[in-house]
Amino acid sequence: AGGDDDAGATTASPPAATTVPSATTSAQPVTTEEDDVRPEPPEDQSRWARQVDAACKPWQERIDAVAPPLDATALERWMTETLPLARKQVAAVEKVKPPANVDEAERAKLFVGGLHKLERALTRYLAAIRAGDAEAIQRALADANAAGTETRGYALSLDVTECGGYSSG
């Protein structure tokens, strides 16, 4: 989806869809096979998507560099390290000048809103882990997965490829 080639601010973005480990007995990532491979940006990627990718990439690299949790004990550490990075990534995405194309601008707005939903769900997830509240953990995990799936869909429709967790990236 090409389009909007205006010059604009470049900044970073949080996980469009974060791989969320389960807080039960093991910390297995919640992903599907199609989520495992980071897509390549198309040649006609819009100005906005290019700038969002440029903003996301350094933050995503830092998020991806945090050792994934291998058990429930390490999950709190992982969340504590990655959530601030994800927040900075979201803030960076928000600094990118919105697209001029009306359709792309609407999807971009939904994408950024999804990033916020995901961040809030992950914040509730970490709080529930710290509180040891199994019911709240499951609710927050379901919310995070739903927000991640929705946000990844917007990212894909906008050709945003550098935000969000992929097992290869």
Side-chain angles (χ1 to χ4, degrees):
D4 188 27
D5 277 347
D6 309 1
T10 299
T11 330
S13 143
T18 297
T19 301
V20 181
S22 168
T24 54
T25 55
S26 68
Q28 295 301 313
V30 179
T31 61
T32 60
E33 210 171 287
E34 66 268 10
D35 293 339
D36 289 345
V37 179
R38 185 173 302 283
E40 290 295 322
E43 286 185 29
D44 66 342
Q45 185 182 37
S46 73
R47 184 267 320 156
W48 182 84
R50 281 192 316 271
Q51 290 179 338
V52 167
D53 274 355
C56 284
K57 189 172 184 169
W59 293 109
Q60 194 59 51
E61 287 172 349
R62 290 180 67 186
I63 291 166
D64 293 343
V66 177
L70 300 176
D71 57 34
T73 305
L75 180 59
E76 183 178 344
R77 173 205 49 84
W78 184 83
M79 291 291 298
T80 299
E81 289 183 44
T82 59
L83 195 52
L85 298 172
R87 287 182 181 128
K88 289 177 182 179
Q89 194 179 41
V90 172
V93 168
E94 289 183 310
K95 291 179 184 176
V96 176
K97 181 183 173 187
N101 175 284
V102 175
D103 176 60
E104 185 182 20
E106 182 59 32
R107 286 181 290 131
K109 182 178 177 181
L110 293 168
F111 171 72
V112 172
L115 293 174
H116 283 289
K117 282 186 206 175
L118 180 59
E119 183 274 326
R120 286 190 303 269
L122 293 174
T123 298
R124 288 192 312 274
Y125 186 58
L126 178 57
I129 290 168
R130 288 179 173 160
D133 184 339
E135 192 173 305
I137 287 170
Q138 292 307 311
R139 276 194 314 271
L141 181 60
D143 291 347
N145 282 324
T149 298
E150 176 183 341
T151 305
R152 176 153 298 148
Y154 289 124
L156 291 171
S157 79
L158 290 159
D159 297 325
V160 171
T161 63
E162 293 295 336
C163 294
Y166 292 85
S167 68
S168 64

